[in-house]
Amino acid sequence: MGSAMATLVAVAPVSAQMFKWNDERGHSYYTEGLDNIPERFRNNAVPLGLRNKPADPAPTTAASPSAGSSGGATIRYTPGQPIMVDVRINRGAAARLLLDTGADRTLISPRALAAAGVGLTRPIATGQMAGVTGTDQVQYVVVDSLEIGDARVGRIPVAAYEMPNAHGDGLLGRDFLDRFVLNIDSARGVVTLTPK
């Protein structure tokens, strides 16, 4: 997955209808508002029935850092089965991600990001990723926090991407996992994340 990260840009919250559209090569895109879709592709845009809800501002105190990582977590799973992790995005919206130690980046569906109030109209960067049917265009956005239990990473860029045939809302990658000491006990079906 290749992408050059650009300078972080503040995203203004909006409440626009979410659309999915494809370009002439069949690459899928998710966009807020019909006006943000190139005119030649608007007739084929599909409304998703979702609106971006602005995130409630998180209180900023000395006890709640706005960046970095903190805390720890214990995740239980059935041995021999994929490790599905319940996460909170921006301190509230729930998502279920597949823990993937081979993924460089965390991928979250546009639907889950929109529910968390993450704006998709102004990504911090775009890139390409090998998909099931070829190369897909990917937008990177910043979430204010990603949490599993007490394990929290603040201000983390994630890829807005709908995984085909997914059993959840995306992948939890090493950009999150490498901030902790990760231990997977496959015999007992327990994953622990402890602060580094």
Side-chain angles (χ1 to χ4, degrees):
M1 177 184 325
S3 173
M5 294 307 270
T7 304
L8 296 179
V9 177
V11 178
V14 294
S15 181
Q17 170 72 27
M18 300 286 297
F19 289 88
K20 177 182 177 184
W21 58 279
N22 296 324
D23 64 15
E24 62 274 352
R25 294 185 194 132
H27 297 153
S28 295
Y29 299 86
Y30 297 87
T31 305
E32 292 175 298
L34 198 57
D35 292 341
N36 292 316
I37 300 172
E39 193 169 324
R40 66 183 184 271
F41 301 116
R42 288 181 188 168
N43 289 339
N44 295 326
V46 177
L48 298 177
L50 300 171
R51 291 192 178 275
N52 183 21
K53 174 183 172 272
D56 296 328
T60 304
T61 66
S64 65
S66 62
S69 59
S70 60
T74 301
I75 303 157
R76 303 204 181 277
Y77 71 98
T78 303
Q81 297 296 313
I83 303 171
M84 299 303 294
V85 181
D86 293 317
V87 303
R88 285 185 317 274
I89 306 167
N90 290 347
R91 296 195 171 261
R96 193 156 172 80
L97 304 180
L98 173 67
L99 188 146
D100 188 346
T101 59
D104 292 334
R105 297 279 178 203
T106 295
L107 311 175
I108 301 177
S109 74
R111 172 183 33 82
L113 289 169
V118 178
L120 301 174
T121 58
R122 294 186 184 130
I124 60 166
T126 58
Q128 294 186 340
M129 182 173 78
V132 175
T133 60
T135 303
D136 293 332
Q137 188 75 13
V138 178
Q139 293 180 328
Y140 289 90
V141 295
V142 174
V143 297
D144 291 328
S145 67
L146 195 57
E147 302 172 63
I148 302 168
D150 291 331
R152 177 182 183 275
V153 172
R155 301 288 301 166
I156 181 172
V158 300
Y161 184 71
E162 190 73 50
M163 293 181 51
N165 305 318
H167 296 290
D169 299 305
L171 299 176
L172 183 67
R174 288 195 330 263
D175 53 348
F176 180 94
L177 298 171
D178 287 351
R179 311 255 186 127
F180 301 90
V181 175
L182 172 69
N183 183 25
I184 301 175
D185 184 338
S186 57
R188 292 179 36 223
V190 176
V191 175
T192 54
L193 297 171
T194 53
K196 283 190 171 180

